[in-house]
Amino acid sequence: MKKLIVANWKMNGTVIFAQKLLAPIVDQKTFPLSEVVICPPFPLLHTVRDIICESHLRLGAQDCHHESSGAFTGNVSTSLLKEMECSFVIVGHSERRLHNHENNALIKEKAIAAINDNITPIICIGENLEARNNAQAITTVIKQLIECLPESKSSCVIAYEPIWAIGTGMSATEDNIAEMHKEIRNFTGTGIKILYGGSVNAKNAASILTIDNVDGVLVGGASLQADTFIEIINH
């Protein structure tokens, strides 16, 4: 089964940047080991869509609103994302939980909105350092799954991010990843892809992708360099 490789550009990139970055990736023609999704900032969706339209790359967004329309300045609906030909949308990323104070209930509503427009939500979950240090990591993640997953959970992708290992100088070991992905799999059952997201790069991607229950990776900074991202895609 192909691994799902998702590029989260975060708030990075310009039109010229997108053209230069994606050209050698599109030139790969096929990805025998991976299904690849590019998630650029909203203003670049149109540009990226046009660049990848005849390739095996798929388009995703970094967030969505839970309402289909209305007076929600600065937000983007799933119906508009669908019109832009997005196949995936990231919801509940740790940065949005932190900076935008998004909670599990809202993330579930966003996931439902995406599914209603035939877009696959990539639901991000993960524990912070306090939960990890207090032996509450698994409890925290399971609670997030309970409160974020819609009834039609088979239409979702889960992305596990160890928040405690982001920007702290610490990193999750392969045992950490294996343990958490096993717990997530036990909760979700088969049929749902579980991604790992946490400082994934060209050096560690191949080994991470061999871990049981790791069905792909959510890639941040390493997706902003074509040669590095191609290495991850080809793992």
Side-chain angles (χ1 to χ4, degrees):
M1 182 183 295
K2 288 188 175 185
K3 300 292 187 177
L4 181 60
I5 312 296
V6 181
N8 178 14
W9 288 5
K10 306 189 179 185
M11 198 175 71
N12 295 293
T14 62
V15 171
I16 297 299
F17 170 87
Q19 293 169 339
K20 290 182 177 180
L21 174 65
L22 292 172
I25 300 173
V26 169
D27 284 346
Q28 292 283 297
K29 304 298 183 186
T30 61
F31 309 111
L33 301 176
S34 306
E35 178 183 8
V36 183
V37 181
I38 307 297
C39 299
F42 288 134
L44 293 178
L45 285 173
H46 190 281
T47 296
V48 173
R49 181 193 67 179
D50 289 350
I51 294 171
I52 69 175
C53 63
E54 296 183 2
S55 74
H56 289 276
L57 294 165
R58 302 178 74 183
L59 185 64
Q62 296 179 15
D63 187 43
C64 65
H65 197 269
H66 62 283
E67 297 285 357
S68 59
S69 61
F72 304 106
T73 301
N75 288 293
V76 176
S77 68
T78 54
S79 57
L80 182 56
L81 296 181
K82 187 65 178 178
E83 188 173 306
M84 293 301 298
E85 301 179 20
C86 287
S87 302
F88 294 83
V89 60
I90 300 169
V91 296
H93 191 279
S94 59
E95 291 160 1
R96 292 201 63 86
R97 289 178 183 263
L98 175 64
H99 301 301
N100 297 77
H101 310 292
E102 296 188 359
N103 59 31
N104 293 335
L106 175 60
I107 292 162
K108 181 177 181 178
E109 289 188 58
K110 290 185 177 189
I112 292 171
I115 291 168
N116 287 341
D117 271 312
N118 297 311
I119 298 173
T120 301
I122 301 172
I123 302 174
C124 297
I125 58 174
E127 78 282 9
N128 59 24
L129 185 58
E130 181 180 5
R132 169 65 55 169
N133 286 340
N134 291 331
Q136 294 294 312
I138 293 172
T139 302
T140 299
V141 166
I142 296 302
K143 183 176 187 292
Q144 291 173 339
L145 286 169
I146 291 170
E147 296 181 359
C148 291
L149 273 175
E151 289 185 16
S152 50
K153 62 182 182 180
S154 61
S155 301
C156 304
V157 170
I158 302 297
Y160 167 62
E161 308 174 280
I163 301 169
W164 54 272
I166 299 174
T168 63
M170 297 183 287
S171 59
T173 66
E174 291 188 14
D175 286 343
N176 293 148
I177 298 169
E179 177 188 39
M180 190 61 77
H181 277 246
K182 181 180 179 181
E183 294 292 337
I184 296 169
R185 177 68 70 209
N186 288 341
F187 180 88
T188 63
T190 58
I192 295 182
K193 289 189 175 181
I194 307 170
L195 314 183
Y196 174 73
S199 301
V200 176
N201 56 51
K203 293 181 179 179
N204 62 23
S207 58
I208 290 172
L209 288 166
T210 63
I211 299 171
D212 286 346
N213 299 308
V214 174
D215 301 312
V217 287
L218 179 60
V219 188
S223 69
L224 300 175
Q225 300 176 28
D227 55 347
T228 299
F229 192 54
I230 288 170
E231 282 191 59
I232 295 171
I233 292 170
N234 294 328
H235 55 276

